Amino acid sequence: MTDITKEAMMPPRSFLSQDAIQVFYRLLAALLICAVLAVLSDSFLSLGNILNVLRQASLTFFIASGLTLVVLTAGLDLSVGANVALSACIAGTVIHKTGSPALGILTGLACGGIVGLLNGVMVTALRIPSFIATYGMLWVLNGLTYWYMAGETLHGFPAGFRQIGSGYLFGLPIPVYLLLVFLGIGTLFAQRTIWGQEIYAIGANPVAARLSGIPVPRRLLLVYAVSGTMAGLASIIFLSRLNSAEADIGESLTLPAIAAVLIGGTSLFGGVGTVFGTFIGALILTLVLNGMNLLSVSANWQPLVTGIIVILAVWLDMKTRRRAQ
């Protein structure tokens, strides 16, 4: 099929579209949550708490941003949390052995990217559904990480390296600057590049995408590799922030990342959503969890609330999709 036909099937996505309307409503929801929490808690609007919310939202966003591309193709990556754990433990070991934070960072990114690429190979070459492939990878990574660490904990990293996750620049946490950089890169990639348009097309209709000449397997390999690399980046931020690495570091990270993607408006059925929406989703989820902490709600309730939010987001997605059809 000619490039003209291919371009006709993938018109440039304008941010002033249905995606923008969804983001607008989610911004309103975030503002409403802020207003409610400001009334219920005197400390919510303190500078320290606002900076803490932004930092926590950025950590969730790093994992969820790569996951957004996977979900846009109607796939899912359940291994991101386990990927963060293995990448952090290996990167921490490299830093301890070599004394080089730069080499540790490169190792963490490479480890995350390789895991993502393996997920992509299982989905494209072996034709295993992404849910099954990445769920299996989750258990493989957990087993490798627990075997590798053997119950030990790594801690005590160089002060310069710790600045990545704990430092400030002009009054803002450094992870917030990284968030803005990757938010810009992710939005431009998804909305303004031909590869981004092809990812949307694959999620909307994989058969039509293949018939129009889009190299579907290669694009799927790309999105899973990006998702894994972003998990590797998150592992570096967590390693720097916590100043320690242990085998269970990623166990609580997968569900919030998936929740941020779905709350942000990305459809589980693919083809609909934005990276910016995922940022808003991460912000809403962080605000809810922060509000529960400020109001002294038991930590036992937080997974329950997160699960309910995910179910509601999926229900709204299905309802919107049926109405559109």
Side-chain angles (χ1 to χ4, degrees), residues 189-213:
F189 174 78
Q191 305 291 137
R192 295 299 176 187
T193 69
I194 189 65
W195 284 10
Q197 303 303 307
E198 289 175 349
I199 289 169
Y200 277 101
I202 292 170
N205 191 329
V207 176
R210 179 172 55 81
L211 294 176
S212 68

Side-chain angles (χ1 to χ4, degrees), residues 51-124:
L51 293 180
N52 182 52
V53 167
L54 290 174
R55 190 201 304 272
Q56 292 300 323
S58 67
L59 295 176
T60 301
F61 172 78
F62 291 130
I63 306 174
S65 59
L67 184 60
T68 301
L69 299 182
V70 174
V71 178
L72 281 174
T73 64
L76 196 59
D77 185 352
L78 296 175
S79 68
V80 286
N83 193 351
V84 169
L86 180 62
S87 299
C89 291
I90 292 179
T93 302
V94 170
I95 294 174
H96 270 191
K97 296 287 185 185
T98 66
S100 171
L103 193 57
I105 292 170
L106 290 175
T107 303
L109 294 175
C111 179
I114 290 171
V115 170
L117 196 60
L118 290 174
N119 282 332
V121 169
M122 286 192 288
V123 172
T124 57

Side-chain angles (χ1 to χ4, degrees), residues 22 46 65 82 174 203 208 237 254 298 316 319:
Q22 289 196 23
S46 67
S65 59
I174 290 176
I237 307 295
T254 301
S298 170
L316 286 174
K319 187 175 180 181

Side-chain angles (χ1 to χ4, degrees), residues 207-231:
V207 176
R210 179 172 55 81
L211 294 176
S212 68
I214 295 174
V216 175
R218 276 187 284 171
R219 294 297 173 265
L220 290 177
L221 283 175
L222 172 69
V223 298
Y224 283 96
V226 169
S227 177
T229 303
M230 291 306 295

Side-chain angles (χ1 to χ4, degrees), residues 10-256:
M10 299 182 301
R13 296 177 68 86
S14 169
F15 196 72
L16 297 176
S17 62
Q18 189 173 0
D19 290 336
I21 294 172
Q22 289 196 23
V23 170
F24 175 73
Y25 283 124
R26 282 159 176 80
L27 275 173
L28 286 181
L31 291 174
L32 179 61
I33 293 171
C34 288
V36 172
L37 291 177
V39 172
L40 296 178
S41 172
D42 294 335
S43 56
F44 174 71
L45 290 180
S46 67
L47 179 61
N49 186 62
I50 291 173
L51 293 180
N52 182 52
V53 167
L54 290 174
R55 190 201 304 272
Q56 292 300 323
S58 67
L59 295 176
T60 301
F61 172 78
F62 291 130
I63 306 174
S65 59
L67 184 60
T68 301
L69 299 182
V70 174
V71 178
L72 281 174
T73 64
L76 196 59
D77 185 352
L78 296 175
S79 68
V80 286
N83 193 351
V84 169
L86 180 62
S87 299
C89 291
I90 292 179
T93 302
V94 170
I95 294 174
H96 270 191
K97 296 287 185 185
T98 66
S100 171
L103 193 57
I105 292 170
L106 290 175
T107 303
L109 294 175
C111 179
I114 290 171
V115 170
L117 196 60
L118 290 174
N119 282 332
V121 169
M122 286 192 288
V123 172
T124 57
L126 303 183
R127 297 181 181 278
I128 300 174
S130 61
F131 177 86
I132 303 299
T134 58
Y135 187 63
M137 180 62 79
L138 180 157
W139 287 102
V140 170
L141 296 179
N142 277 341
L144 284 174
T145 307
Y146 278 94
W147 167 78
Y148 180 71
M149 296 301 290
E152 295 186 1
T153 300
L154 298 171
H155 54 79
F157 297 101
F161 175 72
R162 293 181 59 191
Q163 289 297 308
I164 298 173
S166 304
Y168 287 79
L169 185 63
F170 303 118
L172 280 178
I174 290 176
V176 176
Y177 290 99
L178 294 174
L179 178 150
L180 295 175
V181 169
F182 284 95
L183 178 60
I185 293 174
T187 299
L188 288 175
F189 174 78
Q191 305 291 137
R192 295 299 176 187
T193 69
I194 189 65
W195 284 10
Q197 303 303 307
E198 289 175 349
I199 289 169
Y200 277 101
I202 292 170
N205 191 329
V207 176
R210 179 172 55 81
L211 294 176
S212 68
I214 295 174
V216 175
R218 276 187 284 171
R219 294 297 173 265
L220 290 177
L221 283 175
L222 172 69
V223 298
Y224 283 96
V226 169
S227 177
T229 303
M230 291 306 295
L233 173 65
S235 76
I236 299 302
I237 307 295
F238 273 92
L239 191 62
S240 170
R241 172 70 177 157
L242 301 175
N243 194 28
S244 67
E246 51 191 331
D248 62 352
I249 189 175
E251 288 184 354
S252 62
L253 302 178
T254 301
L255 181 58

